[in-house]
Amino acid sequence: MGKLTWFPLPFGLVVVVVNFFAVRDVKGRLPTGPVEANEHIVPQAIDAFIPFAQGRIALLGAFFIAATMLFGLVEFGLSRRPAGLMLGTGLLSAAYMAAMPVVYVLNPVTGYDAEFLDPSGGYATMPFDMGALSPPWYLPLLGLILVTAAIAQLLAVRGVVRRDTALPPSSPWNAWLLMLPLAFLLAFAAANLVSDQIARSAAHPGSFWEADYALRLMLQMWAFAVVPAAGLALHGILLRRHGVRPRSLLLVGVFTVVYLLTLPLVAWGNLLMYADEQSGFSEHLPGWREEVTNGILAAAALVQLATVPLLARRGKTQMTGAAAASK
């Protein structure tokens, strides 16, 4: 198997085994574990623990199997397309390493946080403190395994980049598309700031601290997305000036994943703007604000998803063409 493909599978196997032993340990502790609340649902919580843990372990195992298969598709399917291999490696590696904290949080022990049907017809929360019931070795060991998995992936990526560093550079015409993420975010911020000014000019004078907080929240969420967008713009400039290089393409893939992950955060902040505003300020916002700002975010995601294959295809033609000319 390739350098990228085999790394997730053994780590996934170790994660499954560690979770299995931790679940078995906790199963024996639950009947005598300290009850913090809702003592009447303790039997339900004990009975539901093993099915929950089995499903969660299966889910985490499926994640590592899927990661192995996707890396295999990228490495073997794009082995003759250097630009596509670099971009695909960056995209998948960034997503894979970003998932490591999620795997840690979604473990089947401390991640067991369910609600149970109460005899009164309502729902009762978990009666146990699963963190206290967790074996002392479990979370540190699980964290160490996941950190090692991320480091191993970085070493695998380094090997792929070194393998393709001999590719001669060429400048793709469509590298300028990497400027668009930053342009979309600037347009998003501008639309919100303009609509805010329109409302302030139309509203009666007064205290708009809730509106000020909403705008500040949006700008904070927006700032998270600006960082990867600026990284994409910088690499667009580098690709235009210095041509297609493996490291640049790899980082374009990484920044793309980070950028796409931050866009929902921006959309969440945009949705919360003025949601609880009670001063009457929001009544004077232009009707187009929500449609325009959400449309900009949707277009930003779609355009970036289209840019990556366009860049990979053009880069592939130029890189392989240049390689043939150098022979």
Side-chain angles (χ1 to χ4, degrees):
M1 301 179 80
K3 291 182 179 179
L4 282 176
T5 304
W6 69 272
F7 272 109
L9 199 56
F11 286 107
L13 179 61
V14 173
V15 167
V16 167
V17 170
V18 168
N19 279 320
F20 171 79
F21 282 108
V23 167
R24 190 177 69 172
D25 186 295
V26 172
K27 179 186 176 183
R29 299 182 187 207
L30 275 177
T32 58
V35 177
E36 292 197 335
N38 301 318
E39 188 173 355
H40 60 285
I41 63 165
V42 166
Q44 288 179 260
I46 293 175
D47 292 341
F49 174 64
I50 292 301
F52 170 88
Q54 289 173 340
R56 187 58 60 87
I57 291 174
L59 177 65
L60 298 181
F63 162 74
F64 284 98
I65 292 172
T68 300
M69 295 176 65
L70 287 172
F71 277 118
L73 288 173
V74 167
E75 185 159 17
F76 297 113
L78 299 175
S79 58
R80 296 184 181 181
R81 300 184 177 186
L85 177 61
M86 287 298 102
L87 284 167
T89 298
L91 285 166
L92 283 180
S93 296
Y96 175 72
M97 287 186 284
M100 295 298 101
V102 179
V103 172
Y104 183 84
V105 172
L106 293 182
N107 71 77
V109 178
T110 59
Y112 183 42
D113 185 15
E115 291 187 339
F116 302 92
L117 186 62
D118 192 274
S120 63
Y123 286 90
T125 56
M126 174 66 62
F128 300 111
D129 178 3
M130 298 305 294
L133 289 170
S134 173
W137 52 264
Y138 174 57
L139 289 179
L141 179 59
L142 181 61
L144 178 62
I145 293 167
L146 296 176
V147 169
T148 306
I151 293 173
Q153 187 59 32
L154 287 173
L155 294 175
V157 169
R158 183 184 179 191
V160 172
V161 172
R162 282 187 169 184
R163 186 178 67 194
D164 291 320
T165 50
L167 291 168
S170 56
S171 299
W173 65 270
N174 50 10
W176 65 268
L177 291 172
L178 295 175
M179 308 286 182
L180 292 179
L182 192 56
F184 276 118
L185 287 177
L186 291 174
F188 170 82
N192 269 312
L193 290 172
V194 168
S195 65
D196 184 83
Q197 288 302 310
I198 291 174
R200 288 180 188 275
S201 63
H204 297 294
S207 175
F208 300 133
W209 66 270
E210 290 176 326
D212 294 338
Y213 171 77
L215 185 63
R216 187 164 57 250
L217 175 65
M218 183 277 294
L219 291 174
Q220 289 171 352
M221 300 299 102
W222 174 83
F224 282 105
V226 166
V227 175
L232 288 169
L234 175 61
H235 280 82
I237 295 171
L238 293 176
L239 288 172
R240 289 295 298 166
R241 288 189 175 182
H242 304 295
V244 175
R245 298 178 185 272
R247 285 184 179 85
S248 295
L249 287 173
L250 181 77
L251 288 173
V252 167
V254 171
F255 279 122
T256 294
V257 170
V258 179
Y259 172 68
L260 292 176
L261 288 175
T262 55
L263 285 182
L265 186 66
V266 178
W268 175 76
N270 191 52
L271 183 65
L272 292 181
M273 283 185 72
Y274 315 116
D276 298 321
E277 201 276 324
Q278 303 293 325
S279 67
F281 174 88
S282 56
E283 297 175 5
H284 299 278
L285 289 167
W288 51 260
R289 188 200 75 85
E290 190 170 346
E291 289 77 7
V292 169
T293 53
N294 288 333
I296 290 172
L297 292 178
L302 292 174
V303 168
Q304 187 59 25
L305 288 172
T307 295
V308 172
L310 283 174
L311 189 61
R313 181 181 179 184
R314 182 67 178 180
K316 175 255 179 181
T317 303
Q318 294 184 343
M319 290 169 77
T320 54
S326 64
K327 291 182 179 180

